[in-house]
């Protein structure tokens, strides 16, 4: 019960914060860059809710094993929406990276192929989504293209940081590295050592970090615009 209450408080704070930031950036963002950040945050929070809400419900009621179907369905939906999260993040970064046309085409094709492969692998019944234990082998297989996408995103962040001298993209790269660093042990060992599942909390905070970077960049842009208008008026 205590675990359920703690997760309820954390999950509620996370989902509300990410959703609020997402809606704010969609409404207030004047450029495609910030609106896409907002859409990404909404996809993150809404997708995670399909997994987190059933999990909290299970912890506060009859337990995780008794709610295996709802938890499995939530994990399946979240796996798909997280793929969408990275697809959106790529296009956010591409607008800053601005690669040459051939490289852009190759990058987009690679992204869509990997994302489609990830979703197709998630759809196979061998994943055993609706059993409490799941299937470790298929858990690894479906996360291989996901990890490759993550590696690509990290590389692009470093390229942008080098190109623009903007340290926020280095921080974003670190956030993505941390998210996978916390997620991989859960995939591999949580079925053996359940307490490892607690690593999903710092993983979630790493994603929040990516969203916060977008929010801070928006505030910087608003401040710069206000300062420019003030200078013009003077």
């Amino acid at each position: 019960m205590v675990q359920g209450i703690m997760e309820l408080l954390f999950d509620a704070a996370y989902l509300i914060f990410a959703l609020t930031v997402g809606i704010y950036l969609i409404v207030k963002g004047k450029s495609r860059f910030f609106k896409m950040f907002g859409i990404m945050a909404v996809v993150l929070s809404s997708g995670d809710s399909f997994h987190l809400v059933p999990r909290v419900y299970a912890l506060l009621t009859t337990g995780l094993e008794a709610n295996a179907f709802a938890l499995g369905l939530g994990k399946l939906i979240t796996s798909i929406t997280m793929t969408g999260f990275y697809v959106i993040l790529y296009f956010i970064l591409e607008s800053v990276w601005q690669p040459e046309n051939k490289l852009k085409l190759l990058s987009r094709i690679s992204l869509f192929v990997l994302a489609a492969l990830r979703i197709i692998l998630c759809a196979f019944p061998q994943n055993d989504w609706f059993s409490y234990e799941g299937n470790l082998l298929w858990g690894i297989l479906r996360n291989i293209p996901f990890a490759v996408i993550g590696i690509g995103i990290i590389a692009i962040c470093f390229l942008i940081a080098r190109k623009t001298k903007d340290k926020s993209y280095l921080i974003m790269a670190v956030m993505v590295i941390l998210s996978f660093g916390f997620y991989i042990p859960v995939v591999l060992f949580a079925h053996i050592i359940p307490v490892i599942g607690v690593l999903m909390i710092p993983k979630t905070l790493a994603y929040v970090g990516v969203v916060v970077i977008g929010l801070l960049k928006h505030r910087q842009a608003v401040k710069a615009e206000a300062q420019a208008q003030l200078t013009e008026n003077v």
Side-chain angles (χ1 to χ4, degrees):
M1 181 64 73
V2 174
Q3 180 184 355
I5 294 173
M6 294 300 293
E7 288 200 24
L8 171 62
L9 295 175
F10 174 81
D11 293 345
Y14 154 60
L15 293 174
I16 292 171
F17 175 79
L19 182 62
T20 302
V21 171
I23 293 173
Y24 171 79
L25 290 175
I26 291 172
V27 174
K28 296 293 185 178
K30 294 183 179 180
S31 68
R32 179 174 177 269
F33 178 84
F34 293 117
K35 288 186 181 296
M36 288 187 68
F37 249 112
I39 294 171
M40 183 182 71
V42 170
V43 169
L44 175 66
S45 58
S46 59
D48 273 0
S49 67
F50 284 98
H51 168 59
L52 296 177
V53 172
R55 178 177 171 82
V56 170
Y57 173 81
L59 289 171
L60 293 175
T61 56
T62 54
L64 297 175
E65 291 190 40
N67 293 274
F69 180 85
L71 289 169
L73 180 61
K75 288 180 182 178
L76 171 59
I77 295 173
T78 299
S79 296
I80 295 171
T81 57
M82 282 309 305
T83 307
F85 172 90
Y86 277 106
V87 170
I88 298 170
L89 180 56
Y90 167 80
F91 281 100
I92 291 172
L93 295 173
E94 185 190 79
S95 67
V96 182
W97 179 30
Q98 295 183 341
E100 60 181 25
N101 289 334
K102 289 184 179 179
L103 181 56
K104 179 188 292 186
L105 179 61
L106 177 61
S107 298
R108 288 185 177 186
I109 291 174
S110 300
L111 174 69
F112 287 130
V113 168
L114 288 167
L117 180 59
R118 155 81 166 176
I119 293 172
I120 291 170
L121 288 172
C122 286
F124 273 77
Q126 287 86 346
N127 286 281
D128 291 334
W129 287 109
F130 307 124
S131 69
Y132 181 68
E133 294 80 10
N135 186 305
L136 176 60
L137 174 60
W138 278 82
I140 294 172
L141 289 176
R142 67 176 179 261
N143 279 298
I144 290 174
F146 190 55
V148 175
I149 292 174
I151 291 170
I153 292 294
I154 292 166
I156 293 171
C157 284
F158 279 120
L159 288 172
I160 293 173
R162 182 179 179 181
K163 175 183 177 181
T164 64
K165 309 302 181 183
D166 187 339
K167 293 182 179 180
S168 66
Y169 291 100
L170 286 178
I171 298 173
M172 189 179 294
V174 171
M175 292 297 102
V176 176
I177 291 170
L178 288 175
S179 70
F180 278 96
F182 291 124
Y183 179 57
I184 291 173
V186 174
V187 173
L188 296 177
F189 305 116
H191 65 292
I192 302 173
I193 311 172
V195 71
I196 288 180
V198 76
L199 292 177
M200 294 299 283
I201 293 177
K203 165 190 169 288
T204 299
L205 292 176
Y207 284 127
V208 171
V210 174
V211 171
V212 169
I213 289 172
L215 178 62
L216 293 177
K217 282 188 167 298
H218 178 263
R219 290 187 174 182
Q220 290 173 356
V222 170
K223 185 177 180 180
E225 183 180 358
Q227 186 64 40
Q229 290 178 349
L230 181 63
T231 302
E232 288 179 3
N233 292 334
V234 172

